[in-house]
Amino acid sequence: GMERVYDVKSILLKNRIIKLDTAFDHNLASSICAQLMYLDNDNNSPISLYINSPGGVVYDGLAIYSTMQYIKSPVHTYIVGLAASMGSFIANAGEAGHRYMLPYATNMVHRVSSGASGTSGTMYVQELQLEEVKRSFAETQRLNKILTEVYVKHNSKGKTYDEFMEIMKFDTYLGAEDAVEMGLVDHIVNSVKNSKD
């Protein structure tokens, strides 16, 4: 019967693998954070986080990041498709020396345009009162400061805060070699066999 059909997510979870493969929103953050805490509670061996995401809500990305920092288990990150905006941010925050990228994957970094969402573009403000605009802008600046500091903290090539502010001014797309060069990932892997250090 139907009860015999295994849920892929559960099978992957048994092998300490988590897939982050949608846009960042409250549901994604809730699911990823719960999986990280569940696995960490089970034991403290490495967790593999596979990323293919266009980005999304910054607060939800920061919830995942905070949980990764909070748990004891190291989180090894694998960019398998596009890791854009918050996707890139989470991939960058993997365990030092264990941030992997597949050869044809893409890493995209940029600044956020508003706290609500990590999509680039103009924040339309006609409808808002000036005070609200100012507060929103201040919050966007606060978030960009946090994101940039975290990128710098996990960077393996000594890139500075100012260098990241410059890089993140516009959407910057990087292939695997460039992402390694910039210190956003540590290794390019063709197969799982190569990543078992």
Side-chain angles (χ1 to χ4, degrees), residues 9 19 26 31 41-42 59 69 71 89-90 120-122 127 136 144 149 160 182 188 194-197:
K9 195 162 151 183
K19 281 169 72 222
H26 188 74
S31 170
N41 191 49
D42 192 47
Y59 301 114
Q69 299 303 300
I71 63 174
F89 179 78
I90 290 299
S120 61
T122 314
E127 305 298 310
S136 181
N144 276 318
E149 283 169 354
T160 66
M182 197 181 281
I188 301 167
N194 300 355
S195 69
K196 296 283 175 272
D197 295 3

Side-chain angles (χ1 to χ4, degrees), residues 9-18 29-47 67-68 70-73:
K9 195 162 151 183
S10 305
I11 294 167
L12 290 172
L13 211 53
K14 279 200 185 83
N15 293 297
R16 302 184 72 76
I17 293 169
I18 299 174
S30 178
S31 170
I32 300 289
C33 292
Q35 291 176 73
L36 286 167
M37 290 187 286
Y38 168 77
L39 292 175
D40 187 60
N41 191 49
D42 192 47
N43 70 72
N44 299 144
S45 63
I47 296 166
T67 304
M68 287 166 68
Y70 175 74
I71 63 174
K72 292 192 192 76
S73 305

Side-chain angles (χ1 to χ4, degrees), residues 94-154:
E95 183 76 6
H98 294 280
R99 301 173 306 165
Y100 304 101
M101 189 161 169
L102 275 65
Y104 304 114
T106 302
N107 194 324
M108 191 274 268
V109 293
H110 68 174
R111 270 186 226 175
V112 295
S113 54
S114 76
S117 167
T119 55
S120 61
T122 314
M123 198 170 77
Y124 294 102
V125 295
Q126 299 94 316
E127 305 298 310
L128 299 174
Q129 299 302 328
L130 186 61
E131 179 59 25
E132 206 172 334
V133 173
K134 285 194 296 198
R135 288 184 189 195
S136 181
F137 181 69
E139 175 61 358
T140 299
Q141 285 184 308
R142 183 184 78 89
L143 289 174
N144 276 318
K145 185 170 185 286
I146 291 170
L147 299 184
T148 309
E149 283 169 354
V150 171
Y151 266 112
V152 171
K153 175 183 171 186
H154 294 275

